[in-house]
Amino acid sequence: MKQFQYVRPTEAGLAINALLKDSGAKFVAGGTNLLDLMKRGIEAPERLVDINRLPLKEITKNDQGFNIGALTLNSSLAEHKDIRKDLPLLSQALLAGASAQLRNMATVGGNLLQRTRCPYFYDTSMPCNKRLPGSGCGALKGFNRMHAIFGASEHCIAVNPSDMNVALSALDAIVQLSGPKGKRNIPIQDFHRLPGDRPELDSVIGKNELITGISIPTSALKHVHYLKIRDRSSYAFALVSVAAALDLEGTTIRWASLAMGGVAHKPWRLTEVETFLAGQQISAGLFQEAGTLAMRGAKAYEHNEFKLKLAPLSIGHALSIASGLVKA
Amino acid sequence: MAKEKTSKASRRNFLKQSTLITVAAMAPPVALKAAEEQWDERLASAIENVPLNIEVNGSVHQAKIDPRVTLLDFLREHLQLTGTKKGCDYGQCGACTVHVDGQRINSCLSLAVMNDGRKVTTIEGLADGAELHPMQAAFIKHDGLQCGYCTPGQIMSAVACIREGHADSDEEIREFMSGNICRCGAYPNIVAAIREVKGGSKV
């Protein structure tokens, strides 16, 4: 690991200043992703600004919904009594991610900024436009089994590895940022980016901005399920995941919200499918159609063609469980 | 990128040059010795060291350490508490699991300085004198190990798993113990040990 200077501010303003003063500075919270990357020489900050002592750990609930501090641990959020009751989709997604130990370290803000697990991003002897812009994409014609089927570009076919982000997408969360120019709120769907020709940018966060929290509006979508398909039954990144949320009146779908993980550079929201489902009666046939519709525009690479079959089946299954048609 | 490299180089060079100016004022033999022993490097790192106050297994430790030292390396290399194991060093295997303020974490993915003021419990701090912790006894009784390398991490994780309330069924135990990999494949016996301690039966 390269040498760095370590500072530990106790106020958000001081933390942002500490970043402003040094173009090579980075925030560290849980460290589960950044320290991993620093050990491998993928990240080499000159200054590490430890933000763990900032007062950003509160979960509050009001009429509008939830406000969750950026430093809330993944485990605390998943186990929170009101989150389990009101937003079980978020709790399920969090518990599907990483391990108990990592969830006790990883924060909400850090999870939002989690880097891809593309092996070419991790291997410094390989080309990767995300790690080293202009060096090429090793995955495009390489081992691309885990990679994107939606929204990729010739420069990058990596996927966002987070489970939490997929649930937040289906729940229309808002990301709260604070920076030298003030505060701003960004809907989660606009927070992460598609790779385009700038795959080094995962999100729209500014260079000196700090995530202070997220807000999640009160949801009428009470019938939910987070389905994660992976190579082993626990502690692995998703091949495909689905966050399904339904507002039902009897067996009629009033409204649906759907997002996928493991298929794109950002949580992949399926708005077209949501509109299709609205007003329809729940049935296995309907959910199969929904899965097929979701695949419009999908494009596979040499090793991930299986996702073109796995993804629609996963959508159908997640909707069946969420609606109560089948048991989890 | 280029700009960042320059600024990184300049900070370190500044620290080193300040030392060289001091050395230049010394008599030649002293200056030579300074160069030989890399005083410039040592001074630069001394300035970058960070104070750490940490309680480990009930004993308070004060140190001034390189911020790059992980909690795992601090426990093993500085405190000689080698019960906590280094497996992958990337948070994938769980061999380094310790409790910080009662919560299980991967000590390889946390810098020691980030744990300033915290209370750490390692496998060495689990037994009560000569009396094993019930989880340690259960691992022995159920043969919850073969080579034993993952065992300290498994046991620390297992104790936390019960404390968190995630040991109500074999399925739940397996899910919440998935961050601890055992390459010998002692999983069924590990689950049996946890189930027994959770059940409160005599071990």
Side-chain angles (χ1 to χ4, degrees), chain B:
Chain B
M1 282 304 267
K3 197 182 162 201
E4 286 182 19
K5 269 187 189 150
T6 317
S7 82
K8 184 179 175 72
S10 64
R11 181 175 59 88
R12 190 141 188 90
N13 281 342
F14 172 77
L15 291 173
K16 289 165 78 169
Q17 277 159 11
S18 326
T19 329
L20 284 178
I21 291 164
T22 320
V23 169
M26 295 175 186
V30 181
L32 269 177
K33 193 166 179 288
E36 240 171 50
E37 295 185 355
Q38 298 189 303
W39 284 10
D40 54 346
E41 274 296 338
R42 287 161 71 181
L43 183 91
S45 55
I47 289 171
E48 284 162 346
N49 279 359
V50 176
L52 169 68
N53 264 289
I54 194 165
E55 188 180 317
V56 180
N57 300 333
S59 308
V60 177
H61 298 270
Q62 294 190 333
K64 210 161 178 256
I65 61 162
D66 188 317
R68 290 175 296 178
V69 175
T70 61
L71 179 58
L72 172 62
D73 286 339
F74 180 74
L75 293 169
R76 289 181 55 87
E77 311 294 334
H78 294 242
L79 302 185
Q80 279 73 52
L81 292 170
T82 52
T84 307
K85 300 300 183 217
K86 183 182 280 196
C88 68
D89 208 24
Y90 294 109
Q92 297 174 358
C93 75
C96 67
T97 303
V98 300
H99 298 174
V100 173
D101 290 342
Q103 302 284 314
R104 52 173 159 165
I105 67 151
N106 296 121
S107 61
C108 73
L109 282 187
S110 189
L111 297 172
V113 291
M114 286 165 65
N115 295 280
D116 185 52
R118 308 270 191 240
K119 289 181 182 173
V120 179
T121 307
T122 70
I123 191 72
E124 290 92 343
L126 214 53
D128 184 7
E131 191 168 336
L132 292 181
H133 184 281
M135 191 63 76
Q136 293 173 308
F139 265 65
I140 294 171
K141 181 182 166 189
H142 289 276
D143 254 344
L145 58 136
Q146 283 186 45
C147 84
Y149 196 82
C150 73
T151 311
Q154 296 279 4
I155 290 176
M156 295 311 287
S157 204
V159 169
C161 185
I162 292 180
R163 193 187 293 153
E164 292 160 7
H166 289 306
D168 286 337
S169 66
D170 285 6
E171 196 189 349
E172 192 181 28
I173 291 171
R174 280 195 289 266
E175 172 60 37
F176 282 86
M177 287 296 290
S178 68
N180 293 82
I181 310 290
C182 169
R183 288 294 76 152
C184 302
Y187 298 115
N189 299 359
I190 292 171
V191 172
I194 298 172
R195 192 198 308 133
E196 180 164 306
V197 177
K198 162 71 186 177
S201 54
K202 209 162 172 264
V203 290

Side-chain angles (χ1 to χ4, degrees), chain A:
Chain A
M1 206 186 291
K2 294 266 172 64
Q3 236 161 351
F4 56 82
Q5 190 192 20
Y6 173 84
V7 292
R8 193 166 53 217
T10 49
E11 286 170 37
L14 296 175
I16 293 164
N17 278 341
L19 214 59
L20 267 177
K21 275 193 273 178
D22 200 329
S23 65
K26 270 197 176 291
F27 291 134
V28 66
T32 57
N33 195 194
L34 182 58
L35 289 179
D36 183 21
L37 295 171
M38 285 166 68
K39 285 182 181 187
R40 297 170 196 264
I42 298 162
E43 292 279 6
E46 184 177 340
R47 172 188 290 193
L48 208 53
V49 182
D50 180 351
I51 56 171
N52 285 295
R53 309 293 158 106
L54 304 187
L56 299 172
K57 287 176 190 161
E58 289 231 24
I59 302 174
T60 55
K61 186 187 165 187
N62 59 29
D63 296 345
Q64 277 85 50
F66 283 92
N67 245 301
I68 299 157
L71 291 171
T72 306
L73 296 177
N74 283 201
S75 53
S76 320
L77 186 57
E79 305 281 357
H80 193 272
K81 185 168 56 72
D82 292 332
I83 297 290
R84 284 171 65 152
K85 184 167 138 287
D86 298 345
L87 300 173
L89 184 67
L90 178 58
S91 184
Q92 287 174 21
L94 284 160
L95 292 176
S99 66
Q101 290 96 314
L102 290 169
R103 292 193 294 268
N104 277 340
M105 310 166 78
T107 63
V108 166
N111 199 334
L112 279 167
L113 297 177
Q114 195 182 161
R115 308 301 311 269
T116 185
R117 305 295 164 146
C118 173
Y120 297 92
F121 174 70
Y122 265 77
D123 187 341
T124 51
S125 69
M126 290 286 180
C128 171
N129 287 321
K130 188 181 278 298
R131 176 171 33 79
L132 192 64
S135 63
C137 173
L140 199 59
K141 292 201 164 75
F143 187 61
N144 44 33
R145 185 171 170 272
M146 298 293 287
H147 293 72
I149 53 172
F150 290 113
S153 75
E154 58 181 317
H155 305 288
C156 179
I157 61 170
V159 298
N160 186 301
S162 167
D163 293 294
M164 180 193 79
N165 293 348
V166 184
L168 290 181
S169 171
L171 294 168
D172 289 311
I174 307 278
V175 182
Q176 300 158 342
L177 298 172
S178 191
K181 289 179 194 154
K183 296 180 177 188
R184 58 183 185 136
N185 293 333
I186 299 179
I188 179 107
Q189 217 37 50
D190 302 328
F191 182 72
H192 296 101
R193 318 172 51 253
L194 287 178
D197 58 1
R198 297 291 305 278
E200 72 276 20
L201 302 174
D202 293 344
S203 73
V204 299
I205 192 170
K207 185 144 178 47
N208 298 308
E209 279 184 312
L210 172 73
I211 300 176
T212 54
I214 51 171
S215 61
I216 305 176
T218 307
S219 177
L221 303 155
K222 296 294 177 207
H223 302 266
V224 301
H225 188 66
Y226 187 75
L227 178 71
K228 184 176 183 182
I229 308 291
R230 44 192 157 173
D231 283 329
R232 56 184 184 196
S233 61
S234 180
Y235 196 21
F237 291 101
L239 295 166
V240 166
S241 72
V242 182
L246 298 169
D247 178 12
L248 294 178
E249 187 174 12
T251 55
T252 308
I253 299 169
R254 275 208 208 97
W255 191 245
S257 186
L258 275 175
M260 295 188 84
V263 294
H265 197 259
K266 61 188 283 186
W268 196 248
R269 184 75 183 260
L270 301 166
T271 46
E272 210 182 323
V273 185
E274 293 169 7
T275 314
F276 164 75
L277 287 170
Q280 309 237 43
Q281 293 290 312
I282 60 167
S283 76
L286 176 75
F287 295 154
Q288 195 184 341
E289 267 187 81
T292 308
L293 180 62
M295 288 303 106
R296 222 180 252 181
K299 178 181 184 284
Y301 298 87
E302 190 183 351
H303 300 284
N304 69 351
E305 220 176 300
F306 72 97
K307 288 193 181 184
L308 298 182
K309 284 184 187 167
L310 183 62
L313 288 173
S314 303
I315 290 170
H317 194 50
L319 284 168
S320 296
I321 296 172
S323 66
L325 267 186
V326 301
K327 285 205 165 154

